Amino acid sequence: MAKRKYDPNYLKNGFSYIEDKNGQKPQCVLCSEVLANESMKPSKLKRHLETKHPASKYKPVNFFQRRLQELRASQKCLTASCSKQEQALRASYLLAHRIAKAKKPHTVAKELILPAAMDMVREVLDQSAADKLITIPLSNDTIARRIEDMSGNIKQQTTARIQASPYYALQMDELTDIANHDILLVYVRHVWDGDLQEQFLCSRDLPTTTKAEDIFNTLDLYLSSLGLSWEYCVGITTDGAASMTGKHSGVVKRILERAPNTTWNHCFLHREALAAKNMVPFLDEALTNVIKVVNHIKRSAKSSRCFSHLCKDLGSEHMQVLYHSEVHWLSRGKVLSCFYELKTEIATFLSETNSPYAELFDNEMWLVRVAKLLCSRKRSHCG
């Protein structure tokens, strides 16, 4: 059926038109009502005018032309207003995303970022451009809602991708934060768009104990809330803790009961940590001496400041050595790398302070062993 076309003579009945993907539709210039394309007939348009606007049925065409101009002007104003609101909304989300990534307080947006942005825009552009920034919603509660919205959207996308994947695998670990709260971290690996994807799945609190039952129930409840079934889980990776790998009641044991086709893997980073604890004696001694030298430099604020000042005078890339942490054993590679790059500065500092550790740097074999340790760490991570 052919679509009816608008005739300029229809304006005498108080009608203009709008156009969309379905064709032209008559629009009343008095009440802005849009009728169906089938109503594009003089008789139907006249009936609308006489029924809903009887006081205007004898008005001349000039009257309807003025009302049409007013309607078009209001539509343009509304479109411009909506466009500005959308731009301000997008700007609010973009800023909230940066605040979340930088882990800054939500109040920083309105207390610091907005005034600073207005100052810069006012100087570079003009006052009118700076005034437009005021329309961006940046209150503390607004930023919090934006971050929650983005977090929820990421969760929805991740869940949808996992559900669309034929199988998925999980990697989990339990840890204690600085506030002594036990947290279960879970990562997921799945297929998306023909490629293997790995994403952070969730962080769940363990309010009481960290037994295998608590860990499994927490994970099982979360997967159920996402609508994910254990039967599609084909892999699970954990450390070798008893609560995870216990033969009779560990988390892995419970998962295998729900998903018999799942394969368990011991995290290779934890295996590397265990292997590194039994290094050959001469390499272990070299690492121990490196740690002692670092602790000697960092033992006091004065010593640390003096070493930093020396590095600055010598134009070094680094200003400080890094602490080695037995808990965060992955820091060994960074400690060794920084130590070796600053070996000249460290040797100078130890000599100037008459430290007994200065003799280590006269031993070329010891420096070779430190270099060997560093190369071993790099090869293990590249592999």
Side-chain angles (χ1 to χ4, degrees):
M1 181 178 178
K3 299 290 184 179
R4 298 182 182 274
K5 299 294 184 179
Y6 177 78
D7 190 322
N9 292 325
Y10 293 163
L11 186 59
K12 66 182 181 181
N13 293 321
F15 275 85
S16 178
Y17 74 96
I18 63 171
E19 192 165 3
D20 58 18
K21 60 181 181 181
N22 296 321
Q24 295 179 345
K25 296 180 180 180
Q27 182 181 33
C28 178
V29 299
L30 300 176
C31 63
S32 303
E33 183 178 354
V34 179
L35 306 181
N37 180 263
E38 291 76 11
S39 299
M40 194 84 77
K41 294 180 180 180
S43 58
K44 293 185 177 181
L45 302 181
K46 186 176 181 180
R47 183 168 67 245
H48 174 89
L49 177 65
E50 294 177 348
T51 303
K52 296 192 174 183
H53 312 287
S56 302
K57 63 180 180 179
Y58 297 116
K59 295 289 184 179
V61 178
N62 293 339
F63 170 76
F64 296 114
Q65 288 177 342
R66 290 195 301 271
R67 295 304 299 266
L68 176 61
Q69 292 175 355
E70 294 174 0
L71 177 63
R72 294 285 185 260
S74 64
Q75 290 176 338
K76 289 182 179 179
C77 181
L78 180 61
T79 301
S81 176
C82 292
S83 176
K84 291 180 180 179
Q85 291 179 1
E86 291 177 357
Q87 293 173 352
L89 182 64
R90 287 197 297 270
S92 178
Y93 272 98
L94 290 171
L95 184 55
H97 181 247
R98 291 190 175 275
I99 291 175
K101 289 180 65 177
K103 301 178 181 179
K104 297 297 182 181
H106 300 164
T107 54
V108 73
K110 197 168 184 178
E111 294 178 355
L112 176 61
I113 298 178
L114 180 59
M118 291 183 65
D119 290 341
M120 290 185 288
V121 172
R122 187 183 300 109
E123 292 299 324
V124 176
L125 299 177
D126 51 38
Q127 182 62 42
S128 62
D131 292 339
K132 294 179 181 178
L133 299 181
I134 303 178
T135 62
I136 302 176
L138 295 176
S139 68
N140 179 44
D141 294 339
T142 299
I143 295 298
R145 288 197 302 271
R146 300 284 185 263
I147 295 175
E148 290 178 359
D149 290 343
M150 290 185 287
S151 177
N153 181 260
I154 293 173
K155 179 181 177 180
Q156 292 177 356
Q157 292 185 45
T158 302
T159 303
R161 292 184 178 187
I162 299 173
Q163 292 174 340
S165 176
Y167 302 102
Y168 67 91
L170 299 175
Q171 180 178 353
M172 69 182 74
D173 194 10
E174 175 267 328
L175 55 87
T176 303
D177 63 12
I178 58 175
N180 290 326
H181 293 161
D182 287 309
I183 301 174
L184 177 65
L185 299 179
V186 185
Y187 286 80
V188 63
R189 181 173 290 181
H190 59 89
V191 178
W192 174 253
D193 198 19
D195 191 17
L196 198 62
Q197 302 286 331
E198 183 173 324
Q199 293 178 301
F200 178 73
L201 180 62
C202 67
S203 170
R204 313 302 294 173
D205 288 333
L206 300 172
T208 54
T209 61
T210 58
K211 297 178 181 179
E213 181 180 3
D214 300 319
I215 296 175
F216 176 78
N217 289 339
T218 300
L219 180 60
D220 183 54
L221 183 63
Y222 184 77
L223 293 181
S224 299
S225 68
L226 299 182
L228 300 177
S229 175
W230 282 111
E231 63 179 313
Y232 300 108
C233 179
V234 295
I236 182 75
T237 301
T238 68
D239 58 10
S243 61
M244 290 290 185
T245 61
K247 182 177 180 181
H248 300 289
S249 60
V251 176
V252 176
K253 175 66 175 179
R254 294 172 181 267
I255 293 176
L256 292 177
E257 291 175 353
R258 300 284 296 274
N261 296 325
T262 300
T263 302
W264 172 73
N265 292 296
H266 190 180
C267 176
F268 78 92
L269 292 178
H270 289 87
R271 294 202 304 268
E272 182 181 330
L274 294 174
K277 289 182 179 296
N278 296 318
M279 290 187 296
V280 292
F282 65 88
L283 291 179
D284 184 64
E285 181 183 359
L287 179 59
T288 301
N289 288 330
V290 169
I291 297 172
K292 289 180 179 180
V293 171
V294 171
N295 291 340
H296 174 76
I297 296 175
K298 305 282 284 186
R299 75 183 189 277
S300 66
K302 176 183 176 181
S303 178
S304 183
R305 290 196 304 269
C306 291
F307 180 74
S308 178
H309 184 72
L310 175 64
C311 291
K312 183 177 180 181
D313 291 342
L314 296 178
S316 305
E317 181 179 356
H318 305 289
M319 296 293 106
Q320 281 293 347
V321 289
L322 300 178
Y323 260 131
H324 170 267
S325 174
E326 187 65 27
V327 176
H328 301 287
W329 57 269
L330 285 173
S331 65
R332 289 179 180 176
K334 295 181 179 179
V335 170
L336 288 169
S337 179
C338 183
F339 181 89
Y340 198 77
E341 291 176 9
L342 290 174
K343 61 181 184 299
T344 302
E345 291 82 351
I346 294 174
T348 303
F349 177 78
L350 295 177
S351 298
E352 292 179 353
T353 56
N354 298 320
S355 171
Y357 295 116
E359 299 177 357
L360 291 172
F361 291 84
D362 296 330
N363 188 343
E364 294 184 0
M365 185 56 65
W366 181 78
L367 291 174
V368 170
R369 291 170 180 173
V370 173
K372 181 177 178 60
L373 278 171
L374 178 60
C375 292
S376 298
R377 297 293 300 176
K378 290 182 177 180
R379 284 199 303 270
S380 65
H381 287 289
C382 291

